[in-house]
Amino acid sequence: MALFLSASLFGLLSKVLAQDSFDPLEYVDPLIGASNGGNVFPGASLPYGMAKAVADTTSGSNQGGFTLDGAPVSGFSMMHDSGTGGSPSLGNFPLFAYTNCPESDINQCVFPKKTRTMFGGVRNDSIIAKPGLFGITLNSSVHVDMTAAHHTALFKFTFLTVGTDGQPAQPLILQDLTDLSSSREDNGTVSVDAETGRITGSARFTSSFSRGQYVLFFCTDFKGGDILDNGIFANSRASADVKEMTISRSINGYPLPGGAFVRFKSGAEPIIARTATSFISAAQACSHAETEIPTFDFDEVVDTATKAWRAKLSPIKVSTEGVNKSMVTNFYSGIYRTMINPQNYTGENPLWESSEPYFDSFYCIWDLFRSQLPFLTITDPTAVEQMIRSLIDTYRHVGWLPDCRMSLSKGYTQGGSNADVVLADGYIKGLRGGINWQDGYAAMVKDAEVEPFDWCCEGRGGLDSWKSLGYIPVQDFDYKGFGTMTRSISRTLEYSYNDFCIAQLSPSLSSTPEPDKEKYILSSTNWMNLYNAKQPSAWWNNTPTGFTGFFQPKYLNKTWGYQNPLNCSNQDSFTSCSLQNTGQETFESSIWEYGFFVPHDQATLISLYGGPAQFVARLNYLHDQNITYIGNEPAFLTVFQYHYAGRPSLSTLRSHFYIPRYFEPTPDGLPGNDDSGAMGSFLAFAMMGLFPNPGQNVYLITPPYFAHVNITHPVTGKTARVVNKNFDPSYQTNIYIQSATLDGQPYTKNWIDHSFFTEGKELVLTLGRNESSWGTRVEDLPPSLGKYEGFNTTYSLRRAMAAKGVKRSGGEGNGGEGVNGRYTPGFGLLQGDKVDV
Ligand SMILES: *[C@@H]1O[C@H](CO)[C@@H](O)[C@H](O)[C@H]1NC(C)=O
Ligand SMILES: *[C@@H]1O[C@H](CO)[C@@H](O)[C@H](O)[C@H]1NC(C)=O
Ligand SMILES: *[C@@H]1O[C@H](CO)[C@@H](O)[C@H](O)[C@H]1NC(C)=O
Ligand SMILES: *[C@@H]1O[C@H](CO)[C@@H](O)[C@H](O)[C@H]1NC(C)=O
Ligand SMILES: *[C@@H]1O[C@H](CO)[C@@H](O)[C@H](O)[C@H]1NC(C)=O
Ligand SMILES: *[C@@H]1O[C@H](CO)[C@@H](O)[C@H](O)[C@H]1NC(C)=O
Ligand SMILES: *[C@@H]1O[C@H](CO)[C@@H](O)[C@H](O)[C@H]1NC(C)=O
Ligand SMILES: *[C@@H]1O[C@H](CO)[C@@H](O)[C@H](O)[C@H]1NC(C)=O
Ligand SMILES: *[C@@H]1O[C@H](CO)[C@@H](O)[C@H](O)[C@H]1NC(C)=O
Ligand SMILES: *[C@@H]1O[C@H](CO)[C@@H](O)[C@H](O)[C@H]1NC(C)=O
Ligand SMILES: *[C@@H]1O[C@H](CO)[C@@H](O)[C@H](O)[C@H]1NC(C)=O
């Protein structure tokens, strides 16, 4: 009996141990996206940490600091963004190290950033990159390991040779008042304490995707060697006699090099530099350093960071059985990248006094709203609550929700006021924790109602036209607010969806609830006003695509303008499609792709496109002809929109078309900028088998890429599971869902809501080699504002248009069904309706 008991106890124990021995960090490779334009930050950071330590290269693609493309290192800095395009952010106050200066003469060491790179060649096989740790050896035989606490980084310099020409090692470590994009303005300051070698200073820099500037302070201390001397450098000359300096930007195109240095008597032992930054003061930077890393214990800081990452990634556990390890690495590395940005600058905001959290590096919400923030809502809802509180607090003090925010500055808006989607998504998924939703609702309504004088960087433009005409006209007349007058089509589509999102908040949050809800539901149908049913689309050589009916620009006088529906597609490398004054009427994507951006009313869109079969043919054409580009965020949802046409199997097929072909777990494996973790979150959701339609309580179901996935909700503690029966880990057969059960009951809907995660439900998918009828009936389809009725009639469309008094482009008269634009929760799916496929 005793023997039996202990044996079974042993069995139980080893089972528990086996489960606990699953370490997600084994599958994280921070170097994914470190070349080929992924622009990922591959260095050492805590989740959402402000300190991000890495070696910075001179690559033209060094937005994330380090690149694995052969470019040499110019320094080691501790502030970064991740995955962004545009100018590089941050990278302030880099350190650089020499084993000695020739003939022990400091003036023979090379100080300026542009020239010291000749000592910055990278030994490729030396690179160590793990969550919380980055290490690299330069061809100058200096090896540098780095790790990070929240505001403080540790750099451990190891000198592998005793010095050139048999001279003794007298290591010199310099700190440069520069940043990645050489944006320093006048009056950078630096001083070095003769006795301790502590370097402090500050400088004003330019934010990367904005007109703003920010002032950053730093504090650096050293440990590990006796100080030989120290001083400052200006341009290429240095002196140990001078201990402080205020430096001009100079009249050249880049700031004059300048900073401080400390020299040590011996390089026999590693020298550790501890450097912290603060947006408040150098004293606060020093205080962060002293409290966060009091003992300079490198291994202990690595250990703390490792544990922090393990805790963040552990809520998601997948069965690795049979699956190519590269798939698991893809998955967990993608999840890891969702928690580099946004960054937690709570206590570091000099712009206003507040007890609310402050997050920065929402870079940009146009990228993040689609899957990154929805992903964190599942795995780290407490963090998203704090981010939403920060967005709302930014509205309180700056006047508007941001669309993009980095380095304390308002970034440029790309399309709509998409923070509205972030708030709606959090609200309908039950985020509450200290969020003042009244203020959140007021912020969203302000986006819809009040036009900023300068809508470069917040709110919306063209609101007079929007309200009077129901669309943003091309070549609008707007004398109240000013911004780049392009993107009239994509702005109309995004404003429409933003309005739908406003209507997702509970009526109890506003003083005049119901009329607002009705009003925003009605304006959320404005996208229809730019639909030209007669517009064909042909290739540059006039070969027809075979599809008719596209969004088109419309003038103030309600006549149509023209933009080739293929302009700004992946097949168009000629046209300017970003924020240029000559930009097109769609932002960074084509009318073809924006033609699917009606996230709230796929049913009506399907009707417009001639029914589900035509809708599917159009989606296939979009993907198969490379019109879409999976490396930019508008493509994400199009992979899964087959669900709305009753063809969930085609979403699965399309997901496998892109993963891993366009997402290899290698440094050059990402299809484009990671955009702060947006690509990583796309991978994580797609491979988990549940893709969100953000702003709605909807996840579209496809089979996970693993035999099962367990997702433990960090707040409720409940574990949701998706299980694949008949799973084929090679994905060659059995990728299609034949049937499903939810908590043991048959489940035929092709989507599920957020209670799946909070209540820890179990979804069991039975897979087979052929497409089945699972999830294909109208009652199985995800919610849509219009009705999935007939599927080959335009009844609901005519009715919605009649409600707004607009005429259909095809010349049809008003439908005359009477006003019926009412929004009904549950979306009024007709029982028994069939999908015509
Ligand atoms: C290091 O790797 C990069 C990227 O593969 C390559 O461009 C570079 O030439 C390599 N450097 C050396 C010294 O092999
Ligand atoms: C070290 O790397 C730099 C930058 O790549 C290069 O210019 C230099 O020649 C290299 N030096 C040695 C000794 O390999
Ligand atoms: C630099 O300092 C001078 C003198 O105090 C001041 O006039 C100038 O505005 C400062 N420039 C910047 C960019 O702070
Ligand atoms: C997922 O949960 C199930 C049920 O508790 C458990 O048997 C399985 O081992 C878990 N999977 C992983 C990878 O932890
Ligand atoms: C695993 O995936 C990698 C990367 O796609 C591939 O190179 C390798 O051949 C695969 N291994 C197996 C056993 O299929
Ligand atoms: C952000 O930082 C503040 C202050 O250090 C802390 O209280 C909060 O928990 C942090 N938030 C997250 C999500 O880590
Ligand atoms: C409407 O305005 C456009 C742009 O100014 C102009 O080209 C077009 O002729 C106008 N159409 C009518 C009917 O006035
Ligand atoms: C579309 O692209 C073509 C080819 O790149 C270009 O000539 C044209 O100006 C662009 N704009 C429109 C409105 O067609
Ligand atoms: C689309 O692009 C892929 C690779 O980028 C290429 O293999 C394929 O031939 C392209 N298809 C078309 C229709 O251009
Ligand atoms: C499944 O598809 C295969 C290949 O298309 C076909 O040969 C087979 O008959 C199908 N099986 C069923 C049960 O429909
Ligand atoms: C609509 O569907 C009905 C019944 O399936 C069919 O008879 C009719 O031709 C279809 N109309 C159009 C315009 O496709």
Side-chain angles (χ1 to χ4, degrees), residues 50-130:
M50 178 163 136
K52 297 198 190 299
V54 86
D56 294 324
T57 74
T58 61
S59 167
S61 195
N62 66 353
Q63 282 84 348
F66 183 71
T67 55
L68 199 60
D69 56 5
V73 168
S74 61
F76 305 95
S77 72
M78 64 301 294
M79 298 272 287
H80 291 91
D81 273 313
S82 187
T84 61
S87 304
S89 279
L90 302 163
N92 321 76
F93 310 125
L95 302 161
F96 199 75
Y98 295 104
T99 307
N100 66 334
C101 300
E103 298 173 16
S104 291
D105 172 9
I106 45 171
N107 273 303
Q108 292 192 45
C109 263
V110 177
F111 291 92
K113 183 164 69 172
K114 280 182 189 258
T115 40
R116 67 185 180 235
T117 53
M118 74 177 97
F119 302 93
V122 174
R123 292 198 191 155
N124 282 347
D125 57 1
S126 73
I127 296 164
I128 305 160
K130 294 179 181 179

Side-chain angles (χ1 to χ4, degrees), residues 78 92-93 95 151-155 175 177 189-193 196-202 216-222 273-279 281-293 296:
M78 64 301 294
N92 321 76
F93 310 125
L95 302 161
H151 309 87
T152 314
L154 273 193
F155 297 87
Q175 189 156 27
L177 297 178
T189 64
V190 64
S191 72
V192 54
D193 184 279
T196 63
R198 168 175 279 190
I199 306 174
T200 53
S202 70
L216 188 67
F217 302 86
F218 70 96
C219 178
T220 301
D221 294 298
F222 299 93
R274 178 186 72 185
T275 184
T277 52
S278 169
F279 291 99
S281 65
Q284 181 147 323
C286 294
S287 153
H288 285 322
E290 287 159 4
T291 51
E292 291 174 4
I293 311 183
F296 289 74

Side-chain angles (χ1 to χ4, degrees), residues 234-412:
N235 212 344
S236 56
R237 290 289 163 256
S239 168
D241 298 332
V242 186
K243 304 296 183 191
E244 53 186 52
M245 169 175 67
T246 297
I247 191 168
S248 146
R249 179 184 166 89
S250 98
I251 55 167
N252 289 318
Y254 59 92
L256 194 66
F261 71 89
V262 177
R263 232 170 9 152
F264 299 86
K265 289 180 180 160
S266 162
E269 294 298 317
I271 292 168
I272 295 183
R274 178 186 72 185
T275 184
T277 52
S278 169
F279 291 99
I280 305 292
S281 65
Q284 181 147 323
C286 294
S287 153
H288 285 322
E290 287 159 4
T291 51
E292 291 174 4
I293 311 183
T295 63
F296 289 74
D297 186 332
F298 191 87
D299 294 341
E300 187 183 296
V301 178
V302 173
D303 190 53
T304 303
T306 306
K307 284 181 176 141
W309 279 110
R310 187 174 288 127
K312 287 293 184 193
L313 269 51
S314 289
I316 300 197
K317 290 195 166 73
V318 298
S319 159
T320 56
E321 217 178 306
V323 173
N324 189 326
K325 188 180 176 193
S326 81
M327 287 289 172
V328 190
T329 301
N330 232 338
F331 181 69
Y332 279 106
S333 303
I335 297 175
Y336 168 77
R337 297 200 303 277
T338 65
M339 300 185 202
I340 304 283
N341 276 5
Q343 301 182 22
N344 188 354
Y345 287 4
T346 303
E348 280 294 327
N349 176 8
L351 301 177
W352 61 82
E353 295 275 328
S354 174
S355 55
E356 286 294 276
Y358 180 73
F359 278 70
D360 202 285
S361 290
F362 291 96
Y363 201 168
C364 295
I365 289 178
W366 187 84
D367 304 297
L368 306 190
F369 85 82
R370 299 166 204 265
S371 54
Q372 182 172 351
L373 296 178
F375 188 80
L376 295 176
T377 297
I378 297 168
T379 54
D380 201 355
T382 308
V384 180
E385 281 169 359
Q386 293 179 20
M387 290 175 200
I388 289 177
R389 284 168 64 182
S390 172
L391 293 175
I392 295 172
D393 209 41
T394 302
Y395 150 78
R396 275 188 207 109
H397 292 93
V398 175
W400 304 88
L401 293 168
D403 191 61
C404 193
R405 196 166 174 87
M406 83 293 304
S407 314
L408 306 170
S409 304
K410 297 174 185 178
Y412 296 116

